PDB file of all heavy atoms in Angstrom:
ATOM      1  N   VAL A   1     -88.964 -10.626   5.325  1.00  0.00           N
ATOM      2  CA  VAL A   1     -88.971 -11.954   5.914  1.00  0.00           C
ATOM      3  C   VAL A   1     -89.265 -11.798   7.399  1.00  0.00           C
ATOM      4  O   VAL A   1     -88.623 -10.995   8.089  1.00  0.00           O
ATOM      5  CB  VAL A   1     -87.635 -12.677   5.719  1.00  0.00           C
ATOM      6  CG1 VAL A   1     -87.667 -14.048   6.382  1.00  0.00           C
ATOM      7  CG2 VAL A   1     -87.325 -12.810   4.232  1.00  0.00           C
ATOM      8  N   GLN A   2     -90.226 -12.558   7.869  1.00  0.00           N
ATOM      9  CA  GLN A   2     -90.558 -12.550   9.280  1.00  0.00           C
ATOM     10  C   GLN A   2     -90.068 -13.834   9.933  1.00  0.00           C
ATOM     11  O   GLN A   2     -90.243 -14.921   9.384  1.00  0.00           O
ATOM     12  CB  GLN A   2     -92.066 -12.403   9.497  1.00  0.00           C
ATOM     13  CG  GLN A   2     -92.642 -11.059   9.075  1.00  0.00           C
ATOM     14  CD  GLN A   2     -92.855 -10.977   7.572  1.00  0.00           C
ATOM     15  OE1 GLN A   2     -93.399 -11.888   6.958  1.00  0.00           O
ATOM     16  NE2 GLN A   2     -92.419  -9.861   6.977  1.00  0.00           N
ATOM     17  N   LEU A   3     -89.467 -13.709  11.104  1.00  0.00           N
ATOM     18  CA  LEU A   3     -88.952 -14.842  11.850  1.00  0.00           C
ATOM     19  C   LEU A   3     -89.621 -14.873  13.219  1.00  0.00           C
ATOM     20  O   LEU A   3     -89.647 -13.860  13.916  1.00  0.00           O
ATOM     21  CB  LEU A   3     -87.436 -14.746  12.025  1.00  0.00           C
ATOM     22  CG  LEU A   3     -86.608 -14.609  10.749  1.00  0.00           C
ATOM     23  CD1 LEU A   3     -85.133 -14.407  11.098  1.00  0.00           C
ATOM     24  CD2 LEU A   3     -86.773 -15.845   9.870  1.00  0.00           C
ATOM     25  N   VAL A   4     -90.143 -16.023  13.594  1.00  0.00           N
ATOM     26  CA  VAL A   4     -90.809 -16.183  14.875  1.00  0.00           C
ATOM     27  C   VAL A   4     -90.195 -17.355  15.612  1.00  0.00           C
ATOM     28  O   VAL A   4     -90.255 -18.494  15.145  1.00  0.00           O
ATOM     29  CB  VAL A   4     -92.325 -16.398  14.708  1.00  0.00           C
ATOM     30  CG1 VAL A   4     -92.982 -16.573  16.070  1.00  0.00           C
ATOM     31  CG2 VAL A   4     -92.953 -15.226  13.973  1.00  0.00           C
ATOM     32  N   GLU A   5     -89.608 -17.079  16.783  1.00  0.00           N
ATOM     33  CA  GLU A   5     -88.996 -18.115  17.596  1.00  0.00           C
ATOM     34  C   GLU A   5     -89.995 -18.684  18.597  1.00  0.00           C
ATOM     35  O   GLU A   5     -90.925 -17.997  19.018  1.00  0.00           O
ATOM     36  CB  GLU A   5     -87.780 -17.571  18.364  1.00  0.00           C
ATOM     37  CG  GLU A   5     -86.716 -16.918  17.499  1.00  0.00           C
ATOM     38  CD  GLU A   5     -86.816 -15.413  17.497  1.00  0.00           C
ATOM     39  OE1 GLU A   5     -87.944 -14.883  17.657  1.00  0.00           O
ATOM     40  OE2 GLU A   5     -85.770 -14.746  17.337  1.00  0.00           O
ATOM     41  N   SER A   6     -89.760 -19.917  19.003  1.00  0.00           N
ATOM     42  CA  SER A   6     -90.562 -20.551  20.035  1.00  0.00           C
ATOM     43  C   SER A   6     -89.742 -21.653  20.690  1.00  0.00           C
ATOM     44  O   SER A   6     -88.712 -22.064  20.164  1.00  0.00           O
ATOM     45  CB  SER A   6     -91.863 -21.129  19.463  1.00  0.00           C
ATOM     46  OG  SER A   6     -91.603 -22.144  18.514  1.00  0.00           O
ATOM     47  N   GLY A   7     -90.197 -22.122  21.841  1.00  0.00           N
ATOM     48  CA  GLY A   7     -89.568 -23.240  22.508  1.00  0.00           C
ATOM     49  C   GLY A   7     -88.742 -22.897  23.727  1.00  0.00           C
ATOM     50  O   GLY A   7     -88.274 -23.800  24.429  1.00  0.00           O
ATOM     51  N   GLY A   8     -88.550 -21.621  23.999  1.00  0.00           N
ATOM     52  CA  GLY A   8     -87.784 -21.228  25.165  1.00  0.00           C
ATOM     53  C   GLY A   8     -88.561 -21.463  26.447  1.00  0.00           C
ATOM     54  O   GLY A   8     -89.758 -21.740  26.435  1.00  0.00           O
ATOM     55  N   GLY A   9     -87.862 -21.356  27.564  1.00  0.00           N
ATOM     56  CA  GLY A   9     -88.499 -21.554  28.847  1.00  0.00           C
ATOM     57  C   GLY A   9     -87.496 -21.814  29.937  1.00  0.00           C
ATOM     58  O   GLY A   9     -86.305 -21.537  29.796  1.00  0.00           O
ATOM     59  N   LEU A  10     -87.988 -22.348  31.048  1.00  0.00           N
ATOM     60  CA  LEU A  10     -87.165 -22.667  32.210  1.00  0.00           C
ATOM     61  C   LEU A  10     -86.830 -24.150  32.209  1.00  0.00           C
ATOM     62  O   LEU A  10     -87.713 -24.992  32.052  1.00  0.00           O
ATOM     63  CB  LEU A  10     -87.903 -22.294  33.493  1.00  0.00           C
ATOM     64  CG  LEU A  10     -87.244 -22.676  34.820  1.00  0.00           C
ATOM     65  CD1 LEU A  10     -85.930 -21.931  34.995  1.00  0.00           C
ATOM     66  CD2 LEU A  10     -88.195 -22.394  35.971  1.00  0.00           C
ATOM     67  N   VAL A  11     -85.553 -24.461  32.397  1.00  0.00           N
ATOM     68  CA  VAL A  11     -85.112 -25.843  32.419  1.00  0.00           C
ATOM     69  C   VAL A  11     -84.009 -25.996  33.463  1.00  0.00           C
ATOM     70  O   VAL A  11     -83.258 -25.061  33.727  1.00  0.00           O
ATOM     71  CB  VAL A  11     -84.612 -26.289  31.024  1.00  0.00           C
ATOM     72  CG1 VAL A  11     -83.391 -25.485  30.610  1.00  0.00           C
ATOM     73  CG2 VAL A  11     -84.329 -27.777  30.992  1.00  0.00           C
ATOM     74  N   GLN A  12     -83.928 -27.173  34.073  1.00  0.00           N
ATOM     75  CA  GLN A  12     -82.891 -27.438  35.067  1.00  0.00           C
ATOM     76  C   GLN A  12     -81.551 -27.723  34.401  1.00  0.00           C
ATOM     77  O   GLN A  12     -81.502 -28.164  33.252  1.00  0.00           O
ATOM     78  CB  GLN A  12     -83.291 -28.622  35.943  1.00  0.00           C
ATOM     79  CG  GLN A  12     -84.511 -28.379  36.804  1.00  0.00           C
ATOM     80  CD  GLN A  12     -84.796 -29.539  37.738  1.00  0.00           C
ATOM     81  OE1 GLN A  12     -84.085 -30.543  37.754  1.00  0.00           O
ATOM     82  NE2 GLN A  12     -85.835 -29.399  38.529  1.00  0.00           N
ATOM     83  N   PRO A  13     -80.449 -27.460  35.100  1.00  0.00           N
ATOM     84  CA  PRO A  13     -79.139 -27.812  34.547  1.00  0.00           C
ATOM     85  C   PRO A  13     -79.087 -29.278  34.152  1.00  0.00           C
ATOM     86  O   PRO A  13     -79.569 -30.149  34.876  1.00  0.00           O
ATOM     87  CB  PRO A  13     -78.180 -27.501  35.699  1.00  0.00           C
ATOM     88  CG  PRO A  13     -78.871 -26.436  36.477  1.00  0.00           C
ATOM     89  CD  PRO A  13     -80.339 -26.785  36.403  1.00  0.00           C
ATOM     90  N   GLY A  14     -78.497 -29.541  32.990  1.00  0.00           N
ATOM     91  CA  GLY A  14     -78.444 -30.891  32.462  1.00  0.00           C
ATOM     92  C   GLY A  14     -79.629 -31.265  31.604  1.00  0.00           C
ATOM     93  O   GLY A  14     -79.608 -32.311  30.940  1.00  0.00           O
ATOM     94  N   GLY A  15     -80.642 -30.431  31.595  1.00  0.00           N
ATOM     95  CA  GLY A  15     -81.830 -30.692  30.809  1.00  0.00           C
ATOM     96  C   GLY A  15     -81.670 -30.295  29.357  1.00  0.00           C
ATOM     97  O   GLY A  15     -80.602 -29.870  28.918  1.00  0.00           O
ATOM     98  N   SER A  16     -82.767 -30.426  28.609  1.00  0.00           N
ATOM     99  CA  SER A  16     -82.750 -30.153  27.174  1.00  0.00           C
ATOM    100  C   SER A  16     -83.933 -29.288  26.760  1.00  0.00           C
ATOM    101  O   SER A  16     -84.994 -29.303  27.398  1.00  0.00           O
ATOM    102  CB  SER A  16     -82.799 -31.465  26.376  1.00  0.00           C
ATOM    103  OG  SER A  16     -81.679 -32.285  26.641  1.00  0.00           O
ATOM    104  N   LEU A  17     -83.736 -28.536  25.700  1.00  0.00           N
ATOM    105  CA  LEU A  17     -84.783 -27.753  25.064  1.00  0.00           C
ATOM    106  C   LEU A  17     -84.547 -27.772  23.564  1.00  0.00           C
ATOM    107  O   LEU A  17     -83.409 -27.909  23.110  1.00  0.00           O
ATOM    108  CB  LEU A  17     -84.780 -26.299  25.543  1.00  0.00           C
ATOM    109  CG  LEU A  17     -85.362 -25.961  26.911  1.00  0.00           C
ATOM    110  CD1 LEU A  17     -85.143 -24.475  27.198  1.00  0.00           C
ATOM    111  CD2 LEU A  17     -86.841 -26.291  26.967  1.00  0.00           C
ATOM    112  N   ARG A  18     -85.624 -27.619  22.803  1.00  0.00           N
ATOM    113  CA  ARG A  18     -85.509 -27.456  21.366  1.00  0.00           C
ATOM    114  C   ARG A  18     -86.190 -26.169  20.953  1.00  0.00           C
ATOM    115  O   ARG A  18     -87.394 -25.999  21.145  1.00  0.00           O
ATOM    116  CB  ARG A  18     -86.121 -28.629  20.593  1.00  0.00           C
ATOM    117  CG  ARG A  18     -85.791 -28.567  19.090  1.00  0.00           C
ATOM    118  CD  ARG A  18     -86.390 -29.695  18.289  1.00  0.00           C
ATOM    119  NE  ARG A  18     -87.824 -29.519  18.076  1.00  0.00           N
ATOM    120  CZ  ARG A  18     -88.524 -30.141  17.133  1.00  0.00           C
ATOM    121  NH1 ARG A  18     -87.909 -30.988  16.308  1.00  0.00           N
ATOM    122  NH2 ARG A  18     -89.827 -29.937  17.023  1.00  0.00           N
ATOM    123  N   LEU A  19     -85.411 -25.264  20.399  1.00  0.00           N
ATOM    124  CA  LEU A  19     -85.935 -24.007  19.902  1.00  0.00           C
ATOM    125  C   LEU A  19     -86.313 -24.142  18.436  1.00  0.00           C
ATOM    126  O   LEU A  19     -85.657 -24.855  17.682  1.00  0.00           O
ATOM    127  CB  LEU A  19     -84.906 -22.888  20.059  1.00  0.00           C
ATOM    128  CG  LEU A  19     -84.323 -22.654  21.456  1.00  0.00           C
ATOM    129  CD1 LEU A  19     -83.376 -21.461  21.423  1.00  0.00           C
ATOM    130  CD2 LEU A  19     -85.430 -22.454  22.479  1.00  0.00           C
ATOM    131  N   SER A  20     -87.359 -23.438  18.040  1.00  0.00           N
ATOM    132  CA  SER A  20     -87.803 -23.435  16.658  1.00  0.00           C
ATOM    133  C   SER A  20     -87.879 -22.004  16.153  1.00  0.00           C
ATOM    134  O   SER A  20     -88.185 -21.088  16.904  1.00  0.00           O
ATOM    135  CB  SER A  20     -89.180 -24.094  16.521  1.00  0.00           C
ATOM    136  OG  SER A  20     -89.159 -25.440  16.936  1.00  0.00           O
ATOM    137  N   CYS A  21     -87.615 -21.828  14.873  1.00  0.00           N
ATOM    138  CA  CYS A  21     -87.727 -20.528  14.227  1.00  0.00           C
ATOM    139  C   CYS A  21     -88.388 -20.720  12.875  1.00  0.00           C
ATOM    140  O   CYS A  21     -87.811 -21.361  11.987  1.00  0.00           O
ATOM    141  CB  CYS A  21     -86.354 -19.881  14.065  1.00  0.00           C
ATOM    142  SG  CYS A  21     -86.377 -18.325  13.140  1.00  0.00           S
ATOM    143  N   ALA A  22     -89.576 -20.174  12.724  1.00  0.00           N
ATOM    144  CA  ALA A  22     -90.331 -20.288  11.484  1.00  0.00           C
ATOM    145  C   ALA A  22     -90.193 -19.011  10.668  1.00  0.00           C
ATOM    146  O   ALA A  22     -90.430 -17.911  11.174  1.00  0.00           O
ATOM    147  CB  ALA A  22     -91.796 -20.577  11.780  1.00  0.00           C
ATOM    148  N   ALA A  23     -89.819 -19.159   9.407  1.00  0.00           N
ATOM    149  CA  ALA A  23     -89.675 -18.031   8.500  1.00  0.00           C
ATOM    150  C   ALA A  23     -90.878 -17.935   7.577  1.00  0.00           C
ATOM    151  O   ALA A  23     -91.377 -18.943   7.078  1.00  0.00           O
ATOM    152  CB  ALA A  23     -88.402 -18.169   7.671  1.00  0.00           C
ATOM    153  N   SER A  24     -91.334 -16.723   7.332  1.00  0.00           N
ATOM    154  CA  SER A  24     -92.450 -16.508   6.430  1.00  0.00           C
ATOM    155  C   SER A  24     -92.245 -15.215   5.656  1.00  0.00           C
ATOM    156  O   SER A  24     -91.490 -14.339   6.072  1.00  0.00           O
ATOM    157  CB  SER A  24     -93.781 -16.468   7.188  1.00  0.00           C
ATOM    158  OG  SER A  24     -93.814 -15.381   8.099  1.00  0.00           O
ATOM    159  N   GLY A  25     -92.924 -15.095   4.534  1.00  0.00           N
ATOM    160  CA  GLY A  25     -92.812 -13.920   3.701  1.00  0.00           C
ATOM    161  C   GLY A  25     -93.188 -14.243   2.275  1.00  0.00           C
ATOM    162  O   GLY A  25     -93.844 -15.250   2.010  1.00  0.00           O
ATOM    163  N   SER A  26     -92.780 -13.388   1.352  1.00  0.00           N
ATOM    164  CA  SER A  26     -93.093 -13.557  -0.055  1.00  0.00           C
ATOM    165  C   SER A  26     -91.831 -13.455  -0.902  1.00  0.00           C
ATOM    166  O   SER A  26     -91.044 -12.511  -0.755  1.00  0.00           O
ATOM    167  CB  SER A  26     -94.110 -12.507  -0.510  1.00  0.00           C
ATOM    168  OG  SER A  26     -94.433 -12.655  -1.872  1.00  0.00           O
ATOM    169  N   ARG A  27     -91.648 -14.426  -1.766  1.00  0.00           N
ATOM    170  CA  ARG A  27     -90.536 -14.442  -2.716  1.00  0.00           C
ATOM    171  C   ARG A  27     -89.197 -14.196  -2.036  1.00  0.00           C
ATOM    172  O   ARG A  27     -88.460 -13.272  -2.391  1.00  0.00           O
ATOM    173  CB  ARG A  27     -90.770 -13.412  -3.827  1.00  0.00           C
ATOM    174  CG  ARG A  27     -91.994 -13.687  -4.687  1.00  0.00           C
ATOM    175  CD  ARG A  27     -92.141 -12.655  -5.791  1.00  0.00           C
ATOM    176  NE  ARG A  27     -93.305 -12.926  -6.632  1.00  0.00           N
ATOM    177  CZ  ARG A  27     -93.663 -12.185  -7.668  1.00  0.00           C
ATOM    178  NH1 ARG A  27     -92.940 -11.117  -8.002  1.00  0.00           N
ATOM    179  NH2 ARG A  27     -94.743 -12.506  -8.369  1.00  0.00           N
ATOM    180  N   PHE A  28     -88.899 -15.031  -1.059  1.00  0.00           N
ATOM    181  CA  PHE A  28     -87.626 -14.900  -0.375  1.00  0.00           C
ATOM    182  C   PHE A  28     -86.793 -16.158  -0.526  1.00  0.00           C
ATOM    183  O   PHE A  28     -87.323 -17.263  -0.663  1.00  0.00           O
ATOM    184  CB  PHE A  28     -87.818 -14.561   1.105  1.00  0.00           C
ATOM    185  CG  PHE A  28     -88.486 -15.632   1.916  1.00  0.00           C
ATOM    186  CD1 PHE A  28     -87.733 -16.608   2.547  1.00  0.00           C
ATOM    187  CD2 PHE A  28     -89.860 -15.660   2.060  1.00  0.00           C
ATOM    188  CE1 PHE A  28     -88.344 -17.595   3.310  1.00  0.00           C
ATOM    189  CE2 PHE A  28     -90.482 -16.639   2.815  1.00  0.00           C
ATOM    190  CZ  PHE A  28     -89.720 -17.610   3.436  1.00  0.00           C
ATOM    191  N   THR A  29     -85.494 -15.967  -0.498  1.00  0.00           N
ATOM    192  CA  THR A  29     -84.536 -17.060  -0.544  1.00  0.00           C
ATOM    193  C   THR A  29     -83.564 -16.888   0.609  1.00  0.00           C
ATOM    194  O   THR A  29     -82.893 -15.865   0.707  1.00  0.00           O
ATOM    195  CB  THR A  29     -83.765 -17.082  -1.869  1.00  0.00           C
ATOM    196  OG1 THR A  29     -84.682 -17.253  -2.956  1.00  0.00           O
ATOM    197  CG2 THR A  29     -82.766 -18.229  -1.888  1.00  0.00           C
ATOM    198  N   ILE A  30     -83.493 -17.885   1.467  1.00  0.00           N
ATOM    199  CA  ILE A  30     -82.615 -17.835   2.627  1.00  0.00           C
ATOM    200  C   ILE A  30     -81.294 -18.513   2.299  1.00  0.00           C
ATOM    201  O   ILE A  30     -81.274 -19.670   1.879  1.00  0.00           O
ATOM    202  CB  ILE A  30     -83.283 -18.503   3.838  1.00  0.00           C
ATOM    203  CG1 ILE A  30     -84.535 -17.727   4.238  1.00  0.00           C
ATOM    204  CG2 ILE A  30     -82.298 -18.583   5.002  1.00  0.00           C
ATOM    205  CD1 ILE A  30     -85.312 -18.355   5.369  1.00  0.00           C
ATOM    206  N   ASN A  31     -80.219 -17.786   2.490  1.00  0.00           N
ATOM    207  CA  ASN A  31     -78.892 -18.317   2.229  1.00  0.00           C
ATOM    208  C   ASN A  31     -78.245 -18.914   3.475  1.00  0.00           C
ATOM    209  O   ASN A  31     -77.382 -19.784   3.368  1.00  0.00           O
ATOM    210  CB  ASN A  31     -77.992 -17.234   1.645  1.00  0.00           C
ATOM    211  CG  ASN A  31     -78.483 -16.759   0.290  1.00  0.00           C
ATOM    212  OD1 ASN A  31     -78.935 -17.552  -0.534  1.00  0.00           O
ATOM    213  ND2 ASN A  31     -78.394 -15.457   0.051  1.00  0.00           N
ATOM    214  N   ALA A  32     -78.649 -18.435   4.627  1.00  0.00           N
ATOM    215  CA  ALA A  32     -78.126 -18.968   5.879  1.00  0.00           C
ATOM    216  C   ALA A  32     -79.070 -18.598   7.008  1.00  0.00           C
ATOM    217  O   ALA A  32     -79.722 -17.554   6.969  1.00  0.00           O
ATOM    218  CB  ALA A  32     -76.727 -18.439   6.168  1.00  0.00           C
ATOM    219  N   MET A  33     -79.148 -19.448   8.006  1.00  0.00           N
ATOM    220  CA  MET A  33     -79.906 -19.158   9.210  1.00  0.00           C
ATOM    221  C   MET A  33     -79.050 -19.493  10.417  1.00  0.00           C
ATOM    222  O   MET A  33     -78.211 -20.395  10.356  1.00  0.00           O
ATOM    223  CB  MET A  33     -81.216 -19.944   9.262  1.00  0.00           C
ATOM    224  CG  MET A  33     -82.194 -19.579   8.167  1.00  0.00           C
ATOM    225  SD  MET A  33     -83.834 -20.334   8.390  1.00  0.00           S
ATOM    226  CE  MET A  33     -84.471 -19.329   9.748  1.00  0.00           C
ATOM    227  N   GLY A  34     -79.275 -18.771  11.484  1.00  0.00           N
ATOM    228  CA  GLY A  34     -78.479 -19.007  12.666  1.00  0.00           C
ATOM    229  C   GLY A  34     -79.192 -18.611  13.934  1.00  0.00           C
ATOM    230  O   GLY A  34     -80.273 -18.017  13.913  1.00  0.00           O
ATOM    231  N   TRP A  35     -78.571 -18.984  15.027  1.00  0.00           N
ATOM    232  CA  TRP A  35     -79.052 -18.631  16.350  1.00  0.00           C
ATOM    233  C   TRP A  35     -77.994 -17.817  17.072  1.00  0.00           C
ATOM    234  O   TRP A  35     -76.809 -18.175  17.058  1.00  0.00           O
ATOM    235  CB  TRP A  35     -79.379 -19.877  17.177  1.00  0.00           C
ATOM    236  CG  TRP A  35     -80.598 -20.605  16.709  1.00  0.00           C
ATOM    237  CD1 TRP A  35     -80.660 -21.654  15.845  1.00  0.00           C
ATOM    238  CD2 TRP A  35     -81.948 -20.339  17.105  1.00  0.00           C
ATOM    239  NE1 TRP A  35     -81.949 -22.066  15.666  1.00  0.00           N
ATOM    240  CE2 TRP A  35     -82.768 -21.266  16.424  1.00  0.00           C
ATOM    241  CE3 TRP A  35     -82.538 -19.413  17.951  1.00  0.00           C
ATOM    242  CZ2 TRP A  35     -84.154 -21.297  16.580  1.00  0.00           C
ATOM    243  CZ3 TRP A  35     -83.921 -19.430  18.100  1.00  0.00           C
ATOM    244  CH2 TRP A  35     -84.712 -20.365  17.421  1.00  0.00           C
ATOM    245  N   TYR A  36     -78.416 -16.733  17.679  1.00  0.00           N
ATOM    246  CA  TYR A  36     -77.581 -15.900  18.511  1.00  0.00           C
ATOM    247  C   TYR A  36     -78.210 -15.825  19.890  1.00  0.00           C
ATOM    248  O   TYR A  36     -79.391 -16.126  20.059  1.00  0.00           O
ATOM    249  CB  TYR A  36     -77.444 -14.495  17.921  1.00  0.00           C
ATOM    250  CG  TYR A  36     -76.652 -14.429  16.629  1.00  0.00           C
ATOM    251  CD1 TYR A  36     -77.164 -14.929  15.438  1.00  0.00           C
ATOM    252  CD2 TYR A  36     -75.379 -13.858  16.599  1.00  0.00           C
ATOM    253  CE1 TYR A  36     -76.441 -14.874  14.258  1.00  0.00           C
ATOM    254  CE2 TYR A  36     -74.652 -13.794  15.425  1.00  0.00           C
ATOM    255  CZ  TYR A  36     -75.193 -14.302  14.259  1.00  0.00           C
ATOM    256  OH  TYR A  36     -74.469 -14.235  13.093  1.00  0.00           O
ATOM    257  N   ARG A  37     -77.434 -15.425  20.871  1.00  0.00           N
ATOM    258  CA  ARG A  37     -77.982 -15.261  22.205  1.00  0.00           C
ATOM    259  C   ARG A  37     -77.353 -14.061  22.885  1.00  0.00           C
ATOM    260  O   ARG A  37     -76.229 -13.669  22.580  1.00  0.00           O
ATOM    261  CB  ARG A  37     -77.773 -16.521  23.056  1.00  0.00           C
ATOM    262  CG  ARG A  37     -76.322 -16.830  23.398  1.00  0.00           C
ATOM    263  CD  ARG A  37     -76.221 -18.164  24.110  1.00  0.00           C
ATOM    264  NE  ARG A  37     -74.857 -18.482  24.496  1.00  0.00           N
ATOM    265  CZ  ARG A  37     -74.481 -19.650  25.012  1.00  0.00           C
ATOM    266  NH1 ARG A  37     -75.379 -20.613  25.209  1.00  0.00           N
ATOM    267  NH2 ARG A  37     -73.218 -19.855  25.341  1.00  0.00           N
ATOM    268  N   GLN A  38     -78.098 -13.494  23.805  1.00  0.00           N
ATOM    269  CA  GLN A  38     -77.619 -12.353  24.563  1.00  0.00           C
ATOM    270  C   GLN A  38     -78.007 -12.536  26.020  1.00  0.00           C
ATOM    271  O   GLN A  38     -79.191 -12.567  26.360  1.00  0.00           O
ATOM    272  CB  GLN A  38     -78.186 -11.043  24.015  1.00  0.00           C
ATOM    273  CG  GLN A  38     -77.602  -9.802  24.659  1.00  0.00           C
ATOM    274  CD  GLN A  38     -77.942  -8.539  23.891  1.00  0.00           C
ATOM    275  OE1 GLN A  38     -78.887  -8.516  23.099  1.00  0.00           O
ATOM    276  NE2 GLN A  38     -77.171  -7.491  24.106  1.00  0.00           N
TER     277      GLN A  38
END
């Protein structure tokens, strides 16, 4: 399963962003998805 994130960038305090993660592959079943940060 390949996961590709997008939507990050620079934003001012109080602002908003929407991150996206697209999954692709063959014959896969996703039981859970999540976001982590470091």
Side-chain angles (χ1 to χ4, degrees):
V1 178
Q2 293 79 47
L3 304 175
V4 179
E5 305 100 330
S6 63
L10 175 64
V11 63
Q12 295 185 0
S16 299
L17 283 176
R18 190 181 75 161
L19 306 183
S20 299
C21 175
S24 63
S26 180
R27 297 182 179 180
F28 65 90
T29 300
I30 296 176
N31 296 320
M33 295 189 74
W35 289 94
Y36 292 71
R37 67 186 182 187
Q38 187 167 20

